[in-house]
Amino acid sequence: MAAVRRVVVDNTSPLIHYEGSWFLDDTGAHDAKGNFGPVYNKSLHATITSGSFSFAYTGSSIVVFGSNNVHNDSAGVLDPQWTCSVDGVSLPTHPFNYFENNWPLCDTNSTQIHDSNGSHVLTVNATVQRAQAFYLDRLVYTPSPDASFVDETIHVQNNDPELQFGPGWEALGAIANLTAQTGSQFVFYFHGTSVSWYAFLPKEKPGLAATGTYAVDDQPPASFPIKAVPQGKDVTEYNQEIFRTPEYPRGRHKLQVTFLGNAQTVPLVLDYLVIRNGTGPGRSDIANVGTSDSRHRLRFIIGGTLGGMAILLLAILIAFYVHRRRKLRVHDETQPQHPQVEPSPQFRCSTTRASRRITAQNAPQFLPSSKIIRLEGQSSSSVYIPTSSGYVSNQHVSSPSTMTEPFTPQSSRSGTGVHNLEPRLVVHEDSGIRNVLPLQEHVEIPPTYTPT
């Protein structure tokens, strides 16, 4: 059966309503009495006259702890005496003949409480006859599973499932855990500001004093002593606060404890832990550490998955884009290239393909002076002018509209010789590839340009 964490209510809590004459005893005068350890949190509420107190809570079981200071006179009269009840139902009391701190004055362990997880009111009445003080130390109750609270003091038993015992730890009966192995460790995650480690010194395990260390949130470890059983005592010392951590910001912290003793020293025993300013069961957003951590891990998993999917999608888009560019580049490289040549902005080449008749009279506007003499001697010769379908002779062209017959070169052969043909004058009116007429000398005139 899993352990249930309980809430500790100190006698100084304003939630406890006192009636009668009560006073605070924080002198520590009773700490060394008995073998149940010093008083909790170094204080007691006491009355030496009749008085009462009440406490409302939501939960099930409750225990009233105090310092047992009962005197039994010769007549068998106990002083002081007290009664306890929850919702008017009487609870058994546990007076003892010797002084003991941390004593259970009364509890609900053997009492059937109606609606055990509901709201209840504890009432304690103390009767003092001969100035024998009645002492209240603390209340410890089990809250309802759905109770919500914060900044409480939490009692954690040694069998709590959140406690992580490393190698070397073993059970001490059914009430505690211990280790005598050097270097054995313990880990516990808690919500709160501070934690105390409570142990007892078993008389069955005497030995030399030992030491250990604790570290919070992986900070440098702090050392603590483990005292040996006092000489001459044959009883076990209970409720010994082995160490208390400093105060940290309220939140989740990691406690790690390491035992530095050995088989010849006293062992390290864990009886229970006390968390200060903690959150208890029922507060799912803080107290349920496992649930909270699971939610955080789920958020990280979802965020990581979405981020990974986004990166994968981006990689696919980039790969598709690169593949597309490469495909287009290969396609362009397989196509014939037709470079476009733009004329100078000052002059544009005439785009008309109409041919002009070149004579000795109009040649100066086309030819340099060195070529004019050559043209004058050939004025009666045919001039071949480029057209869109080939070359035509000026003898067959009277206007641009009559350029319909392509030129076919004529040649005459006599034996093995070839008659020389007269040179032909060719005027270029646009850029492009020039078709050279075979077997005939030709004079090329560059194209004319007009200012833009």
Side-chain angles (χ1 to χ4, degrees):
M1 180 177 176
V4 178
R5 296 183 184 182
R6 295 176 172 85
V7 177
V8 180
V9 182
D10 190 45
N11 64 87
T12 58
S13 172
L15 298 178
I16 300 177
H17 301 283
Y18 293 95
E19 294 184 6
S21 178
W22 294 83
F23 63 93
L24 180 66
D25 184 353
D26 57 359
T27 62
H30 308 295
D31 287 350
K33 295 180 180 180
N35 66 313
F36 271 45
V39 299
Y40 173 77
N41 215 24
K42 303 183 185 302
S43 69
L44 295 167
H45 254 69
T47 181
I48 56 176
T49 62
S50 297
S52 65
F53 65 86
S54 62
F55 172 72
Y57 71 98
T58 301
S60 55
S61 63
I62 189 168
V63 181
V64 179
F65 286 93
S67 293
N68 182 78
N69 185 35
V70 175
H71 177 72
N72 189 352
D73 63 12
S74 57
V77 178
L78 300 179
D79 188 37
Q81 298 182 16
W82 61 92
T83 62
C84 304
S85 64
V86 171
D87 302 335
V89 179
S90 297
L91 307 180
T93 59
H94 310 292
F96 187 56
N97 290 331
Y98 301 96
F99 191 98
E100 290 289 355
N101 296 315
N102 302 293
W103 189 260
L105 301 178
C106 58
D107 58 60
T108 60
N109 292 340
S110 60
T111 303
Q112 184 68 33
I113 302 298
H114 177 68
D115 189 12
S116 60
N117 285 319
S119 297
H120 308 286
V121 176
L122 166 74
T123 304
V124 176
N125 293 288
T127 303
V128 178
Q129 298 180 3
R130 300 177 181 178
Q132 191 76 9
F134 174 87
Y135 295 105
L136 171 65
D137 191 351
R138 66 190 183 277
L139 308 175
V140 179
Y141 73 93
T142 303
S144 298
D146 57 349
S148 178
F149 51 85
V150 69
D151 291 337
E152 297 286 2
T153 302
I154 309 299
H155 177 102
V156 182
Q157 274 296 111
N158 68 295
N159 59 344
D160 190 283
E162 296 289 335
L163 305 183
Q164 302 176 28
F165 295 97
W169 284 89
E170 59 186 60
L172 179 59
I175 59 175
N177 293 80
L178 66 79
T179 180
Q181 178 177 312
T182 305
S184 57
Q185 293 188 333
F186 164 91
V187 175
F188 175 56
Y189 291 88
F190 68 94
H191 272 278
T193 61
S194 176
V195 62
S196 291
W197 181 293
Y198 283 86
F200 57 80
L201 306 177
K203 65 177 183 178
E204 297 84 5
K205 302 284 184 179
L208 302 174
T211 59
T213 62
Y214 71 84
V216 177
D217 299 334
D218 297 322
Q219 294 181 357
S223 179
F224 62 85
I226 308 173
K227 67 179 183 179
V229 177
Q231 292 290 334
K233 278 199 172 185
D234 58 353
V235 294
T236 297
E237 298 283 337
Y238 295 95
N239 298 299
Q240 303 295 313
E241 186 180 47
I242 302 300
F243 66 84
R244 178 187 295 197
T245 70
E247 294 288 325
Y248 295 94
R250 187 170 67 86
R252 184 172 185 262
H253 301 285
K254 173 187 177 183
L255 172 67
Q256 181 171 335
V257 179
T258 304
F259 177 61
L260 301 181
N262 52 51
Q264 283 70 47
T265 66
V266 292
L268 175 60
V269 178
L270 174 62
D271 189 357
Y272 57 91
L273 300 172
V274 173
I275 304 171
R276 292 171 181 81
N277 299 308
T279 55
R283 190 170 176 86
S284 59
D285 58 335
I286 299 177
N288 295 335
V289 178
T291 303
S292 176
D293 291 345
S294 298
R295 290 175 179 172
H296 285 299
R297 287 194 293 268
L298 181 60
R299 289 173 187 155
F300 287 133
I301 292 172
I302 294 175
T305 301
L306 293 178
M309 292 176 63
I311 294 175
L312 179 61
L313 179 60
L314 180 60
I316 292 175
L317 292 176
I318 293 175
F320 177 78
Y321 175 77
V322 173
H323 176 73
R324 180 75 175 173
R325 288 291 302 272
R326 289 179 178 175
K327 186 175 180 180
L328 291 175
R329 185 180 302 170
V330 171
H331 177 73
D332 292 343
E333 290 176 354
T334 58
Q335 299 299 318
Q337 302 298 317
H338 302 285
Q340 301 295 326
V341 179
E342 294 292 336
S344 171
Q346 290 78 14
F347 298 95
R348 294 187 182 275
C349 179
S350 176
T351 59
T352 178
R353 300 189 64 86
S355 299
R356 300 180 183 179
R357 186 183 181 107
I358 307 301
T359 64
Q361 287 73 24
N362 61 14
Q365 62 179 313
F366 297 101
L367 301 177
S369 57
S370 60
K371 301 293 184 180
I372 295 176
I373 298 176
R374 187 172 184 177
L375 177 62
E376 290 176 348
Q378 302 172 357
S379 60
S380 60
S381 303
S382 298
V383 177
Y384 291 91
I385 304 172
T387 68
S388 61
S389 59
Y391 289 86
V392 296
S393 171
N394 64 348
Q395 295 176 352
H396 302 284
V397 177
S398 59
S399 68
S401 62
T402 62
M403 294 187 299
T404 58
E405 296 183 10
F407 168 74
T408 302
Q410 300 293 327
S411 61
S412 61
R413 300 177 183 270
S414 176
T416 59
V418 177
H419 294 287
N420 293 329
L421 300 178
E422 294 181 351
R424 298 291 185 260
L425 182 65
V426 179
V427 178
H428 299 294
E429 295 203 15
D430 58 0
S431 61
I433 300 175
R434 312 304 179 189
N435 294 324
V436 180
L437 295 176
L439 304 177
Q440 185 174 14
E441 180 182 0
H442 64 276
V443 178
E444 294 185 359
I445 301 175
T448 61
Y449 294 86
T450 59
T452 59

